[in-house]
Amino acid sequence: ASAPLTPPSSAFTPTDSSAAAQKQPFVIGVSGGTASGKTTVCDMIIQQLHDHRVVLVNQDSFYRGLTPEELECVHEYNFDHPDAFDTEQLLECVGKLKLGQPVHVPIYDFKTHQRCSDSFRQVNASDVIILEGILVFHDQRVRNLMNMKIFVDTDADVRLVRRIRRDIVERGRDINSVLEQASLPPTHHQYAKFVKPAFDDFVLPSKKYADVIIPRGGDNHVAIDLIVQHLRTKLGQHDLCKIYPNVTVIQSTFQI
Ligand code: UZR
Ligand code: MG
């Protein structure tokens, strides 16, 4: 069951809905294969736009928690398929942020494959919303919310090496569990069985929707500088910083 997205008492409504409709936050979609450097690219954009209010929403937060039955055969569960995400909830969340309303984003635990049942991350109104994830370009309704789409394009071998390192260091795995069922032939390993086919079937085809393709990810400082320059121009043009006159209180608790 989906938990409510909007905090009950502090619901924020723009004072002038027509003005807010004209000057909505700038939504950037950042997609690319697993461990391509999406999060790094987003962090670099956020760092360089330090004088603006930018929030990052990660598609990973919208992973559905696994049922006890699914947990029993977790090796068979495809985390790389679009159905693994609660896209309706993601849509509702980004839709509300676009209207200037604060939302509660679920917290997903990669170690237990469950959502935190009692805590959320509050994300407040902002000038820029970055929506990041392997499949954020898959659903047309999600794409339609985006003002700019960036695809981080990193070679598959580089991604696999990073993925192994990251899952061991950050996501509570060992090498066997990253590749899964190491006693079986390589075609049965999790990477070969799910991650790679889903990249070919769903992630790569969504590259065609990108406005900008960044080769090599976070190492590509030139591309990130260009994007930030463009964003600064857009933010200046739309005077987005001043769209929410009553946001001051929220701003003080603003977090990324
Ligand atoms: P990024 N994933 C997990 O490893 N465990 C989970 O509980 C949920 C997801 C992985 C998922 C996907 N695949 O490739 C990756 N698996 O997280 C997406 N297996 O995250 O974009 O940060 O790499
Ligand atoms: Mg990431």
Side-chain angles (χ1 to χ4, degrees), residues 35 37-40 58 60 132 166 171:
K38 299 183 293 294
T39 311
T40 308
N58 201 313
D60 290 353
E132 178 231 311
R166 181 191 66 189
R171 294 188 181 175

Side-chain angles (χ1 to χ4, degrees), residues 32-35 38-39 60 63 79-80 108-111 113 132-134 163 166-167 171 173 190 195:
T34 181
K38 299 183 293 294
T39 311
D60 290 353
Y63 266 119
F79 289 103
D80 293 78
Y108 179 78
D109 185 341
F110 281 87
K111 292 178 186 157
H113 315 292
E132 178 231 311
I134 50 172
R163 168 81 187 241
R166 181 191 66 189
D167 281 7
R171 294 188 181 175
R173 302 278 196 91
Q190 190 179 33
V195 183

Side-chain angles (χ1 to χ4, degrees), residues 28-32 38 41-42 45 130-133 136-137 150 152:
I28 308 171
V30 178
S31 192
K38 299 183 293 294
V41 166
C42 294
I45 294 174
I130 307 183
L131 176 58
E132 178 231 311
V136 289
F137 297 164
I150 299 171
V152 182

